[in-house]
Amino acid sequence: MITKFTKGKWKADLESLASINCGEKHIAMVNYFNTHNKDNCVNEAECVANANLIAAAPDMYTEIQSDIEELEDKLLDVSKASGDYDFIVGRIKHKKSLLAKARGEI
């Protein structure tokens, strides 16, 4: 799996109201007013919350990836006949689906 997004720490620049940056590189901008559709406005607080969520995305992606590896390691020690096996397999599938969604595959 090759990730195509910008590596590194992302930071929400809230002075410019929701610009997401990686070092000097501009990643994204969260619009809080859509001039094409006046019904599609969000308030400033929602804009800031969206920017913080986007900025946290790479860390969350890495954490989910780590969870998958830990669960796959645990799966080796669990009997297929146990209820834990099915639970762990389900969690792995769910977490892999989240990462696939983040990569734009689903």
Side-chain angles (χ1 to χ4, degrees):
M1 273 178 261
I2 298 173
T3 55
K4 298 176 185 169
F5 51 80
T6 304
K7 307 286 188 264
K9 294 288 182 189
W10 291 10
K11 183 176 187 251
D13 176 4
L14 303 178
E15 288 180 22
S16 65
L17 273 184
S19 172
I20 293 81
N21 303 306
C22 180
E24 297 297 315
K25 188 173 185 178
H26 179 75
I27 304 293
M29 176 71 78
V30 177
N31 287 330
Y32 66 97
F33 184 74
N34 183 336
T35 57
H36 301 293
N37 180 359
K38 294 197 185 324
D39 294 330
N40 193 20
C41 292
V42 294
N43 62 40
E44 185 176 333
E46 190 173 340
C47 178
V48 168
N50 290 343
N52 284 319
L53 178 62
I54 293 167
D59 293 332
M60 291 188 293
Y61 187 99
T62 300
E63 184 68 24
I64 293 169
Q65 222 169 13
S66 176
D67 288 350
I68 291 169
E69 291 168 10
E70 285 181 36
L71 288 167
E72 287 176 337
D73 286 345
K74 284 185 189 240
L75 197 58
L76 298 174
D77 297 329
V78 176
S79 165
K80 285 186 178 183
S82 80
D84 288 343
Y85 185 89
D86 290 337
F87 174 78
I88 293 171
V89 167
R91 296 309 304 152
I92 290 170
K93 284 182 181 177
H94 176 71
K95 289 176 183 286
K96 285 184 174 182
S97 174
L98 289 172
L99 296 187
K101 184 176 181 181
R103 291 189 302 269
E105 296 169 1
I106 57 171

